[in-house]
Amino acid sequence: MKKAAARNRFALGVDYGTNSVRTLLVDVADGSEIATDVYHYPSGEQGILLDPKDPNLARQNPADYVEGFYESVSAVLRAAKKQPGFRPEAAVGIGIDTTGSTPIPVDRQGTPLAFRREFRDDLAAQAWLWKDHTGHAEAAEITQRAARVKDRYLTKCGGTYSSEWYWSKLLHCRRTAPKVFAAAYSWVELADFVPAFITGNLDPDTLPRCICAAGHKAMYHDQWGGLPSKRFLAGLDPELAPLRDRYAQPAVPADRKAGELSPDVAAKVGLPPGVPVAAGAFDAHMGAVGAGVKPGTLSKVLGTSSCDMMVAPMDSDLPDVPGLCGIVPGSIIPGMYGLEAGQSAVGDIFNWFVSHLAPAAYGTGAEAHAGLTRAAEKLRPGESGLLALDWNNGNRTILIDPLLSGLVLGQTLHTTAPEVYRALVEATAFGALTIINRFEEYGVAVREVVNCGGIAEKNPFVMQIYADVCNRPMKISRSAQTCALGAAIFGAVVGGAYRSAQAAQRKMTGVKPLVYRPDKKAAKTYAELYRLYRQLHDAFGTAGYRGKLDNVMKDLIAIRNRVRKGRD
Amino acid sequence: MKKAAARNRFALGVDYGTNSVRTLLVDVADGSEIATDVYHYPSGEQGILLDPKDPNLARQNPADYVEGFYESVSAVLRAAKKQPGFRPEAAVGIGIDTTGSTPIPVDRQGTPLAFRREFRDDLAAQAWLWKDHTGHAEAAEITQRAARVKDRYLTKCGGTYSSEWYWSKLLHCRRTAPKVFAAAYSWVELADFVPAFITGNLDPDTLPRCICAAGHKAMYHDQWGGLPSKRFLAGLDPELAPLRDRYAQPAVPADRKAGELSPDVAAKVGLPPGVPVAAGAFDAHMGAVGAGVKPGTLSKVLGTSSCDMMVAPMDSDLPDVPGLCGIVPGSIIPGMYGLEAGQSAVGDIFNWFVSHLAPAAYGTGAEAHAGLTRAAEKLRPGESGLLALDWNNGNRTILIDPLLSGLVLGQTLHTTAPEVYRALVEATAFGALTIINRFEEYGVAVREVVNCGGIAEKNPFVMQIYADVCNRPMKISRSAQTCALGAAIFGAVVGGAYRSAQAAQRKMTGVKPLVYRPDKKAAKTYAELYRLYRQLHDAFGTAGYRGKLDNVMKDLIAIRNRVRKGRD
């Protein structure tokens, strides 16, 4: 029935990643790809605005988002129109997913401040990219205050508020760029900004705010009155309190329509006006949907960082899981708890190594990755004597601490680049296992792992190590564009092609025949190495450790920041 | 008087390093260089025979030593003869210094087993280079047994017997290459082999054994009956006991004549026969002499590894200093205690980084060192947020533990190669400071530091960091060839040009006008970083640490060795 109804109808998923935006056009009948296009953000370094004085800073030019929508959607439609039988009128809906928390300061009209001449070159007026950690002191302050007032704001986000999240960023702006803060009428998450801008409803007071960003990043709780109280916000800073009223509540899940494609945007990209647009969500959450997430299935989006997603029925007796990024009703699949965990850097660590420490013999970029992989996959587990921690970008789960840093241990005078490369891959796998263990320690059984994202797609070397380290089969999502597919699924739902996300998932998602299965011998050695990893993890990452090494990384960062800021 | 007596007379110093042998011809009046030549060992990788399956193995072909003497001494004499007024007959004596402990298995006639056809390709029959760590299990066994029998054998060598030392190597050969061990009538240190071979007295029973090798590496104690008892050796292995009788005792200091240049060797190199040859000593000890070591002066030989030497009057109340490599009467300056400490790798760590992890942009080899140095010296202390341990080749002082390994901590996604390079340099400086502190903790005041060796000569970047980290001026020995100069000093003494090594030192050694002085601000930051270094040092390097991380590096090495040996 549904199949017949869906025949020859299409949905669009627009996926805003860290360095680019991708548009995917799929057949709503089976999720198969009709056309796709990627637009690379032209600003900064691979789309990211950096500050050489502060490695924690990562911003983006909001103009890249607007241009990216026009360019990538137009290109997809041009390509699709070349196929016989395709008509733009058969597009039933559009879904949007983005990175997050990536808030954008906007004026009363909802226009990003960065579009104004006076703020054009002001880093504080740009979009604050998810991996911006400048607000780490503010995050610690929020954590402390939330713990004190016993407002339970943190119980569902692992007990610790992150520097990557909404209020840390706003508060840091208030403290360090008061002019920008004063000029901002409101702050809009990228996941809300894109639907707002393409539907023509940019008014900050009324534009729909998605449950995914609100619940996972802004301490929004449906059952406890929405966003944190004005009193709590004013306690952080009096200027934060008014922002609560300029944020439409209740927040909405992604199966809710945000609006319809505005005539001028429609004309620019070659679609008919009025196409339904779903409320946004974060890329990893949509990726989980596109990967077929369901109770018992862990969906891992493996790219520059990892997002590890699970869902649990709303009627289940779900405990608060310490160290998780969030447990939010409806944030992934409407009607279920969405559980979010993740690693702050995965592919970013491999890329860092290749960019900065790959010797000449391996070339650069993709060539270096390939050469190092060829050499590293010949090594046996444990053979290098190396062990690393995967904290080059801090730790998101389960320690939620941006002031942690990388570590490589065990080097001799014979240690080679492929050995270090492999140790870094293994470190991220140990981090992945730590997340799985945490879910299971709190009763959320992980019966299946479905991977998606660039690494899952293209890197058998990494995936085999994940299978061996986690001692579980690693499945791969059928679609190569899981996030965009997840977005398209919600496009299909708001367009009426399916009654629910789950119904759409059953038709539009699946896994590949190829499964990475653990090698027994490797798994045994990795079990030994993991015990040592946990020793380091606990020693450097937790305050309760007897050896008291948890100061080391933090002290180094404090000294570094002092020196870089010229206070030394 | 002495000056007049020494006018226009010359001494030769022949310095056997890790990769090459250098001969230096100096004027005995003031130590000034007349001619010098370097011969690079042709065998293996830069003179070292390696085993890809075992990173602990490092051997050398004894033929390289013989050829190296002929080639480098001949070349020096050819060069000197071109100078007006030089006559070979004016050579008063020859001194020899070598790496060590570098024992060579020899037959009844004193000929290295490696010269026999049946052993030519047998790694166990070659010279066991100082940095061969294959005997680490045997070293631990010797330490344990020596502690049990309370024979005091270890009190003067820091309480721990090293895998780099004589008996560890012999015992490991007995256990792993019994055929070679059985064929070896005796084992001769390279420092004793060279004087023996050039004077024509190769008989293992009678050739002079130097106090330096005997005292620092073979647990020889003048006052306690020489080498360890047969009973003790037999307790390790019955086959070790007979070797005690094939080792001439008492051991002799370097101001004692080993013999006279044999006619056939003399003819080959272009010297008259009968030139007096001094007993040998280790390169670092001779280097200390050439650098002008005296009570209160720490002499550092900074090259691939470091040797840190001090002397103390024999009448001083010198305690046993835990963690030192040795306290031996007469091993440096005859008539004084010689105190030896050192780091198992210094330049070797920088070279390892350049060989294995320097990115393409920096080129290779010397060019990469130069480029990384240029970038690293622009960084301020603490700016990188990195901290490293200098244990890529284990730790010689003060932990005496070859089963320690390297560590780099504090990496972000922006960490650059020059930052890591600088962190490694700083780590070796922290190791150097740890040695100075240990001397002073036990009442041996360090009033002056005189550096020599390749790094001291050519690397202002490293030397300034040493000054800043140690917060002391770093002086540089006047001679660029301090080890060879020290050897030549003993050549001058046995040749009668001076009455004593000290008398010769006063004329033949000195420091350069250039002194690296600590920068106050840098020293302050480094004091903070050093506290963190000590935290890691104690956590990973000492068993007494509350956090119990001392297993981590050892467990990794155990797993590595098991995997490499295919037992996994």
Side-chain angles (χ1 to χ4, degrees), chain B residues 451-507:
Chain B
N451 299 274
C452 58
I455 288 175
E457 277 297 313
K458 294 176 209 155
N459 207 320
F461 163 64
V462 173
M463 293 318 300
Q464 186 58 51
I465 287 179
Y466 273 55
D468 294 341
V469 165
C470 299
N471 201 13
R472 294 163 182 270
M474 290 286 146
K475 300 180 183 174
I476 309 296
S477 164
R478 191 171 66 200
S479 167
Q481 320 298 350
T482 327
C483 299
L485 176 61
I489 282 173
F490 286 102
V493 172
V494 297
Y498 292 100
R499 201 189 301 247
S500 70
Q502 288 107 307
Q505 273 184 307
R506 279 192 289 274
K507 298 288 180 184

Side-chain angles (χ1 to χ4, degrees), chain A residues 352 406 410-411 415 525 535 545 547 568, chain B residues 352 406 410 415 525 545 547 551 568:
Chain A
W352 159 74
Q411 298 93 329
T415 296
T525 305
Q535 258 193 290
Y545 188 69
D568 207 51
Chain B
W352 160 73
T415 296
T525 305
Y545 188 70
N551 66 303
D568 208 54

Side-chain angles (χ1 to χ4, degrees), chain A residues 568, chain B residues 379-382 422 426 429-430 433 464-470 519-532:
Chain A
D568 207 51
Chain B
L379 299 167
R380 283 158 298 168
R422 185 179 175 111
E426 290 169 346
F430 293 141
L433 177 56
Q464 186 58 51
I465 287 179
Y466 273 55
D468 294 341
V469 165
C470 299
D519 173 85
K520 265 195 179 170
K521 216 165 92 175
K524 205 170 145 243
T525 305
Y526 279 134
E528 287 182 84
L529 292 173
Y530 182 68
R531 277 197 291 277
L532 298 173

Side-chain angles (χ1 to χ4, degrees), chain A residues 6-289:
Chain A
R7 186 165 297 154
N8 293 326
R9 297 168 73 197
F10 308 98
L12 286 132
V14 188
D15 164 39
Y16 284 82
T18 299
N19 311 108
S20 61
V21 51
R22 169 185 298 278
T23 295
L24 175 72
L25 183 76
V26 297
D27 188 323
V28 300
D30 57 6
S32 60
E33 178 179 320
I34 308 299
T36 184
D37 187 74
V38 177
Y39 174 82
H40 295 276
Y41 304 140
S43 305
E45 201 172 298
Q46 293 192 283
I48 306 173
L49 309 173
L50 301 170
D51 178 357
K53 284 203 205 102
D54 187 352
N56 285 318
L57 187 143
R59 307 278 157 85
Q60 290 192 314
N61 180 353
D64 290 356
Y65 304 142
V66 172
E67 205 53 35
F69 187 87
Y70 291 146
E71 292 290 335
S72 68
V73 177
S74 304
V76 155
L77 284 163
R78 278 196 305 273
K81 281 172 191 166
K82 288 181 191 154
Q83 300 185 20
F86 175 82
R87 299 167 309 115
E89 292 71 26
V92 300
I94 301 174
I96 307 290
D97 73 86
T98 74
T99 66
S101 174
T102 304
I104 307 168
V106 300
D107 63 16
R108 179 65 194 89
Q109 284 67 49
T111 306
L113 295 185
F115 292 0
R116 288 204 207 156
R117 178 184 299 269
E118 76 247 52
F119 290 119
R120 211 172 41 192
D121 298 322
D122 192 328
L123 282 171
Q126 313 299 315
W128 293 48
L129 187 61
W130 65 272
K131 65 174 163 178
D132 186 291
H133 286 158
T134 51
H136 56 82
E138 288 79 8
E141 188 181 332
I142 295 170
T143 297
Q144 207 175 14
R145 186 167 288 269
R148 202 165 55 209
V149 300
K150 298 200 192 305
D151 275 333
R152 303 178 66 191
Y153 293 132
L154 295 177
T155 53
K156 298 295 178 194
C157 60
T160 308
Y161 200 74
S162 164
S163 60
E164 291 184 3
W165 298 351
Y166 191 78
W167 297 111
S168 301
K169 285 169 169 164
L170 271 61
L171 188 54
H172 187 70
C173 180
R174 163 77 184 133
R175 299 263 166 84
T176 57
K179 230 174 92 184
V180 168
F181 189 85
Y185 175 77
S186 181
W187 291 69
V188 181
E189 279 282 355
L190 175 55
D192 299 330
F193 173 77
V194 179
F197 127 75
I198 65 174
T199 60
N201 173 20
L202 280 164
D203 181 350
D205 287 347
T206 62
L207 73 86
R209 309 281 187 147
C210 67
I211 183 71
C212 184
H216 284 286
K217 311 297 179 190
M219 296 190 281
Y220 173 97
H221 293 284
D222 255 337
Q223 66 276 44
W224 301 332
L227 287 179
S229 68
K230 277 192 187 180
R231 189 182 156 156
F232 175 80
L233 294 174
L236 292 168
D237 190 292
E239 298 293 311
L240 280 187
L243 295 172
R244 193 181 193 279
D245 293 332
R246 305 170 188 164
Y247 192 116
Q249 301 188 56
V252 296
D255 63 353
R256 206 73 65 77
K257 201 166 84 173
E260 290 165 354
L261 196 64
S262 77
D264 52 331
V265 173
K268 271 196 173 147
V269 298
L271 279 171
V275 176
V277 175
F282 289 145
D283 43 9
H285 295 66
M286 292 284 197
V289 174

Side-chain angles (χ1 to χ4, degrees), chain A residues 352 380 383 392 406 408 410-411 415 521 525 528 535 545-549 551 560 562-564 568, chain B residues 352 380 383 406 408 410-411 415 521 525 528 535 545-549 551 560 562-564 568:
Chain A
W352 159 74
R380 282 156 299 169
E383 179 172 355
N392 290 45
V408 181
Q411 298 93 329
T415 296
K521 215 166 90 176
T525 305
E528 286 181 85
Q535 258 193 290
Y545 188 69
R546 292 174 69 231
K548 297 224 176 298
L549 286 172
N551 66 302
R560 179 193 77 191
R562 203 184 64 207
V563 171
R564 289 202 182 172
D568 207 51
Chain B
W352 160 73
R380 283 158 298 168
E383 180 172 354
V408 181
Q411 298 93 328
T415 296
K521 216 165 92 175
T525 305
E528 287 182 84
Q535 257 194 289
Y545 188 70
R546 292 174 68 229
K548 296 219 176 303
L549 286 171
N551 66 303
R560 179 193 77 190
R562 202 183 65 206
V563 171
R564 288 202 183 170
D568 208 54

